[in-house]
Amino acid sequence: MTKKERVLEIQKIFAKVYPDAECTLDYKNPLHLLIATQLAAQCTDARVNLVTPDLFKKYPSENELAEAEIEDVEKLIHSCGFYRAKAKDLVGMAEMVKTKYNGVLPDTIEELTLLPGVGRKTANLIVGDVYKKPAVVADTHVIRITNLLGLVNSKDPKTVELELKKILPPEESNDFCHRIVLHGRKICIARRPKCDECILSGICKYNKDNKKDKK
């Protein structure tokens, strides 16, 4: 079975078990999703969802956030970790969205990654979830699990992103990444995967290699 055939089989299984392939960050507009995703770096989505209501209430758009005092933003996002760098990036991002893009987020990876604090992972999420274009969000779950499955052989986010783009059907790529995240939180947990409960045990390279080692 080729990697393309395997990834189609995995996506077919995922679609049955995780029919709702959605981002777990709470947001009401594209800018809020971008902000929440930036805050989620080295932080859980659950924690971010506790912080953003007050942040969005005080700074509902790029206009208010661009004029914000960085220290005030720091206080609101303190519990998300790396709050100083994140606050500086958020204000800088809002300024750029306001002045260069007239309040509309760009729709390409290249332009999005010009914004302060926006890397390829965040840019792909915006491209995929907001603009519904094919995208691969190479977060920690996607990197770890696609390596275990034998779909890629790299820990570098950009390499994983580009390798998955070669084998994933474009129309399936966004949902595939969301479902990988759900699977990583529920079953394929870092350092303690529940292989006996895994729906992908018959396809997973890691699981097959482990069985060989035990014989």
Side-chain angles (χ1 to χ4, degrees):
M1 187 181 289
T2 66
K3 287 184 178 181
K4 285 188 176 182
E5 290 170 337
R6 290 174 64 213
V7 83
L8 284 176
E9 185 63 24
I10 291 167
Q11 179 68 328
K12 189 185 299 183
I13 295 170
F14 271 165
K16 293 178 181 178
V17 181
Y18 307 110
D20 300 320
E22 297 177 349
C23 179
T24 54
L25 291 166
D26 295 336
Y27 66 97
K28 293 183 178 179
N29 59 53
L31 181 70
H32 286 183
L33 176 59
L34 179 59
I35 292 169
T37 308
Q38 287 183 258
L39 290 176
Q42 304 298 314
C43 182
T44 65
D45 288 3
R47 166 53 55 185
V48 172
N49 288 339
L50 292 175
V51 168
T52 49
D54 287 341
L55 182 68
F56 295 157
K57 183 177 181 180
K58 187 167 185 178
Y59 308 111
S61 76
E62 70 282 351
N63 297 314
E64 293 81 10
L65 187 56
E67 301 297 326
E69 293 292 334
I70 292 176
E71 293 79 7
D72 292 337
V73 178
E74 288 178 356
K75 292 175 185 177
L76 287 169
I77 68 170
H78 187 276
S79 64
C80 288
F82 302 98
Y83 63 93
R84 287 193 174 92
K86 289 180 180 179
K88 182 180 178 181
D89 284 340
L90 287 177
V91 173
M93 175 275 294
E95 289 175 349
M96 194 168 176
V97 170
K98 177 183 177 181
T99 59
K100 184 172 182 177
Y101 296 106
N102 297 314
V104 180
L105 295 186
D107 63 353
T108 67
I109 303 295
E110 292 73 24
E111 286 189 287
L112 283 164
T113 51
L114 295 177
L115 298 171
V118 177
R120 292 187 68 87
K121 180 182 77 171
T122 300
N124 270 284
L125 184 67
I126 298 301
V127 167
D129 280 35
V130 173
Y131 293 106
K132 307 304 179 184
K133 296 181 178 181
V136 172
V137 181
D139 76 343
T140 54
H141 291 290
V142 171
I143 294 169
R144 178 173 55 82
I145 295 173
T146 54
N147 270 274
L148 293 175
L149 290 169
L151 297 176
V152 299
N153 185 28
S154 175
K155 299 298 176 63
D156 176 65
K158 185 175 181 180
T159 301
V160 171
E161 174 198 330
L162 297 179
E163 287 300 307
L164 287 176
K165 282 182 176 178
K166 292 177 183 177
I167 61 175
L168 275 166
E171 70 278 6
E172 299 281 358
S173 58
N174 300 331
D175 288 349
F176 180 83
C177 293
H178 284 315
R179 286 166 175 150
I180 281 267
V181 172
L182 295 174
H183 191 63
R185 290 173 178 166
K186 184 177 180 182
I187 301 295
C188 196
I189 302 165
R191 293 183 293 280
R192 50 188 178 90
K194 303 177 183 178
C195 295
D196 291 341
E197 301 177 29
C198 185
I199 53 176
L200 303 177
S201 58
I203 301 174
C204 180
K205 182 179 182 298
Y206 172 81
N207 186 58
K208 289 182 177 179
D209 289 347
N210 267 4
K211 287 181 177 179
K212 288 179 184 178
D213 292 340
K214 290 176 182 179
K215 287 183 179 180

